[in-house]
């Protein structure tokens, strides 16, 4: 259907899931640290090693979209196109966790009148990207974080390797061999005491991944 006339803009975001880091820009302020019964109760403030989901890595269209691609009064059934080129994918971004999100939205001086009217997303790996110098990252993440008795491990189907957990003193307290017959694997951490742990994933094919997991009881 033809939308109402207006300043309709094209937006293009690069979004990464399961971003983990340590220090300013990564540590998560926890306003619920003192709320008994909440999953983040006594998880620390800030939460160090917090897993951030749907993180905007790059906005190619500008924060309020690209004007001029869609006419003020578009007609139903018409096609309007725009080509982006030279979009950066920086080292350290996990290609397998990246998505391209495109959407149309109205623009107006009143922020309450900027609704999104259509959106679509695709995994970055669905496109031909990168250079010969770039090496694909191993998809590995665990969530929720903080966790209690169980986590989910995200692995490429068919991937196998060893996961280890070390306590704050560097002592390895849990080790398992994993084979991913499906992308998400349920994994028990019920035997770990409350506290921070460093996990390491060592793939049978060589690449590794590390991170921190907080166990709360």
């Amino acid at each position: 259907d033809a939308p109402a006339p207006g300043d309709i803009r094209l937006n293009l975001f690069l979004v990464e899931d399961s971003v983990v880091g340590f220090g300013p820009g990564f540590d998560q302020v926890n306003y619920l640290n003192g709320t008994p019964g909440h999953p983040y109760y006594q998880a620390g403030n800030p939460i160090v090693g917090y897993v951030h989901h749907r993180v905007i890595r790059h906005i190619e269209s500008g924060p309020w979209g690209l004007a001029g691609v869609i006419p003020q009064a578009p007609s139903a059934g018409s096609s309007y196109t725009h080509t982006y080129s030279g979009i950066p994918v920086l080292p350290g971004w996990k290609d397998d966790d990246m998505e391209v999100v495109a959407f149309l939205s109205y623009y107006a001086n009143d922020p309450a009148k900027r609704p999104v009217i259509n959106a679509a997303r695709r995994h970055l790996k669905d496109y031909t990207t990168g250079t010969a110098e770039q090496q694909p990252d191993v998809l590995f993440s665990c969530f929720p974080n903080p966790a209690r008795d169980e986590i989910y491990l995200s692995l490429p189907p068919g991937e196998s390797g060893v996961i280890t957990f070390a306590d704050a003193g560097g002592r390895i307290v849990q080790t398992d061999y994993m084979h991913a017959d499906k992308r998400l694997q349920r994994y028990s951490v019920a035997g770990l005491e409350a506290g921070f742990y460093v996990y390491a994933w060592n793939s049978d094919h060589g690449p590794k991944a590390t991170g921190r997991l907080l166990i709360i009881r």
Side-chain angles (χ1 to χ4, degrees), residues 129-191:
T129 61
T131 66
E133 290 76 26
Q134 291 177 317
Q135 298 296 323
D137 292 321
V138 172
L139 172 61
F140 181 89
S141 61
C142 72
F143 60 91
N145 190 357
R148 293 188 184 274
D149 296 326
E150 187 176 72
I151 59 175
Y152 285 87
L153 301 178
S154 179
L155 294 167
E159 184 67 65
S160 58
V162 175
I163 183 171
T164 61
F165 291 85
D167 62 18
R171 182 174 61 95
I172 295 178
V173 293
Q174 187 163 312
T175 301
D176 284 294
Y177 183 82
M178 303 289 297
H179 179 75
D181 55 354
K182 56 185 178 180
R183 182 166 183 171
L184 288 179
Q185 304 284 308
R186 296 175 66 176
Y187 184 81
S188 175
V189 290

Side-chain angles (χ1 to χ4, degrees), residues 9 66 149 199:
R9 299 195 177 187
L66 180 64
D149 296 326
Y199 63 80

Side-chain angles (χ1 to χ4, degrees), residues 79-102:
S79 296
Y80 308 99
T81 62
H82 180 77
T83 300
Y84 291 102
S85 61
I87 298 175
V89 179
L90 300 184
W93 296 359
K94 304 187 300 297
D95 288 359
D96 285 326
D97 284 348
M98 297 290 295
E99 288 185 328
V100 179
V101 180

Side-chain angles (χ1 to χ4, degrees), residues 2-44:
D7 186 358
I8 303 174
R9 299 195 177 187
L10 175 65
N11 303 264
L12 190 72
F13 289 7
L14 288 187
V15 178
E16 182 180 352
D17 198 26
S18 301
V19 175
V20 180
F22 307 99
F26 291 99
D27 295 347
Q28 176 65 46
V29 174
N30 182 13
Y31 296 107
L32 300 165
N33 190 57
T35 305
H38 194 276
Y40 291 158
Y41 175 58
Q42 293 186 340

